[in-house]
Amino acid sequence: MKTIEVCLTPELLRQHSIVEKVAVVVDVLRASSTMITAFAHGLNRLMPVAYVEGCVALQRLDYLSAGERDGAKVEGFDFGNSPYDVMSGDLKGKSLAMTTTNGTLAIEKSRSAKHLLIGAFLNLSALADRIKELNEDTLILCAGWKGQMNLEDTLFAGALTSLLTNDFEIRGDSALAAQLLYENAQDDLYEVISQTSHAQRLNKLSADDDMRFCLKKDEYDVVPFLEDEHLVVNV
């Protein structure tokens, strides 16, 4: 039976082998949620970029730009890091360059995986189905916050693990802990996550609506994956 593991922060990725595995990168608040929403609204491809300068360079190549630092929109970019931003934009057939404090850096550190997928509550069931189809050892990488773990990504990792326990063997206490946390909190996710440090940062940015939206389950059935340098989806 294939295995499923959870890495609670990219700082711990050195303790895991990622080559020949499926890597699922998750940044619930808000990078992966925004990426999934962008694809659901017609985006053609997305270049995840670790640093602001990379996005600025791609703007010169007619990429739209999206990103944040410490939660706030980068000056001069087309979009911030909000699902509502990309919902309102004309993305059909477009290319987007995106950089965030945590999510795009986690993607950068996962490029050696056999398959790299993007996950959030918004595509939870579709993501679980895709992982079952691939049937490979799987590592869920939580983007966390500046090298530290965060609760919202860990809870998502637990939700995904719960959906896969009949088909995959849980490996390691991080996956087990995430699953137990989620099963305890699943009926009141908003109330639990609203207490987290990142939720408090978002509240200062008047982004409570973002948080509520990002906690919706199965809003979309798109599963972005890395193909060469870009994230894309099957049409």
Side-chain angles (χ1 to χ4, degrees):
M1 182 178 284
K2 300 299 183 180
T3 62
I4 185 161
E5 304 172 70
V6 171
C7 182
L8 296 174
T9 162
E11 292 297 310
L12 298 174
L13 194 55
R14 64 185 181 277
Q15 299 179 5
H16 298 266
S17 172
I18 198 170
V19 178
E20 296 303 313
K21 290 182 181 176
V22 174
V24 178
V25 176
V26 53
D27 185 353
V28 171
L29 301 178
R30 297 165 285 174
S32 60
S33 299
T34 299
M35 291 173 182
I36 291 162
T37 302
F39 280 109
H41 286 77
L43 183 67
N44 181 46
R45 60 180 185 167
L46 187 152
M47 176 71 84
V49 181
Y51 302 104
V52 170
E53 294 78 10
C55 269
V56 172
L58 287 167
Q59 282 181 303
R60 303 187 191 106
L61 299 176
D62 293 327
Y63 281 69
L64 296 172
S65 55
E68 55 76 24
R69 282 298 179 268
D70 293 328
K73 177 184 174 183
V74 177
E75 185 176 353
F77 279 18
D78 298 294
F79 309 107
N81 182 31
S82 165
Y84 288 108
D85 281 359
V86 295
M87 281 182 205
S88 61
D90 180 14
L91 297 178
K92 291 185 178 179
K94 302 289 182 62
S95 298
L96 178 68
M98 185 172 181
T99 184
T100 68
T101 305
N102 305 290
T104 55
L105 187 59
I107 292 171
E108 188 65 29
K109 292 184 175 183
S110 306
R111 287 181 177 270
S112 60
K114 185 174 182 179
H115 302 280
L116 194 159
L117 311 178
I118 303 299
F121 286 108
L122 294 174
N123 72 343
L124 178 61
S125 293
L127 175 63
D129 289 343
R130 180 62 181 139
I131 292 169
K132 291 175 187 178
E133 290 173 4
L134 291 170
N135 194 32
E136 302 278 1
D137 291 337
T138 298
L139 174 69
I140 306 169
L141 174 59
C142 302
W145 176 261
K146 295 185 176 181
Q148 300 183 45
M149 69 85 71
N150 65 27
L151 188 57
E152 63 270 17
D153 292 348
T154 303
L155 286 168
F156 170 81
L160 183 57
T161 299
S162 292
L163 289 181
L164 296 173
T165 49
N166 291 333
D167 301 275
F168 289 76
E169 175 188 346
I170 293 178
R171 175 164 291 179
D173 285 356
S174 294
L176 178 60
Q179 182 182 6
L180 293 173
L181 279 169
Y182 171 72
E183 290 174 353
N184 186 59
Q186 60 183 314
D187 294 330
D188 212 1
L189 275 179
Y190 175 79
E191 291 302 322
V192 172
I193 291 178
S194 65
Q195 301 174 56
T196 66
S197 58
H198 195 36
Q200 299 305 313
R201 283 187 287 270
L202 290 178
N203 283 337
K204 292 178 182 178
L205 296 167
S206 301
D208 184 68
D209 286 346
D210 279 3
M211 184 169 70
R212 289 181 183 275
F213 182 78
C214 290
L215 298 182
K216 290 185 176 182
K217 296 176 186 175
D218 300 331
E219 188 77 6
Y220 304 121
D221 61 2
V222 298
V223 181
F225 63 94
L226 191 68
E227 184 175 76
D228 297 324
E229 295 297 310
H230 290 86
L231 292 171
V232 296
V233 294
N234 289 326
V235 179

